[in-house]
Amino acid sequence: MAETIKIAGADGFEFNAYHEPAMTPRKGGVIVIQEIFGIDEYVRADVARWAKMGYEAIAPSMYDRREPGFLAKHDDAGIKAGVAHAMGTPREQAMGDIAACAAFLRTRGEKVCIVGYCYGGSLAWLAAGAVDGLAAASSYYGSMVQANAAQALKCPAIVHLGRTDHGIPADEVAAAVAEHHPDTPVYIYEGAGHGFNNESPERYNAEAADLARHRTLELFDKA
């Protein structure tokens, strides 16, 4: 059964994390990193999807130090609030919280992977270069991937981008990653925009979401 648990970060602060054990024979653990909107129904649904695929899943509440239990709608006010929290969260703090989640999952099994969406897509990419012990990383439409394409990677990673995402230049991101990591796949989904994995009606693209999840699952299963 899914539940909210407490995880102690590197600084000793206890943040909330939405946790669900694997529903089928356990393949490993996966850290699910939120969009800017908090641990909302769409993040919880994604946690459930990974649990159904055999991964014990945990989604840390990345903004708890700033606003415990933060949730925002997908409107202008919600975007503004979410962006402010994302920009106000130090990168080192975020990496420390991800490392704490990885340590929690490793006590229950060796393999720990990470997947993130939007803000979480950036953090998943950054974690692939900063957090020890991750087996694989899958980054969905993270705006910080291009600027950090040159980082050394500690684990295999893949990147997913929507062709019609107006905020992220897919071809430029792909070129930047290819320059520094020619063996790291960058998948561009035609007809899909930002947030295509999110099942909100205005953003969801089922075909792209299904294919990206298949590719991510394949990466995680091989890790």
Side-chain angles (χ1 to χ4, degrees), residues 16 27 87 98 116 122-123 125 169 172 215:
N16 289 309
K27 299 177 181 179
M87 294 181 66
I98 289 170
S122 291
L123 294 187
W125 176 261
E172 293 179 21
R215 286 166 167 164

Side-chain angles (χ1 to χ4, degrees), residues 71-113:
L71 286 175
K73 295 181 180 179
H74 295 183
D75 55 17
D76 289 344
I79 292 171
K80 182 178 180 180
V83 167
H85 282 320
M87 294 181 66
T89 299
R91 181 185 300 188
E92 295 77 12
Q93 176 186 297
M95 294 299 102
D97 288 352
I98 289 170
C101 290
F104 168 81
L105 287 170
R106 272 197 299 274
T107 66
R108 306 152 79 83
E110 277 300 309
K111 182 167 72 171
V112 179
C113 304

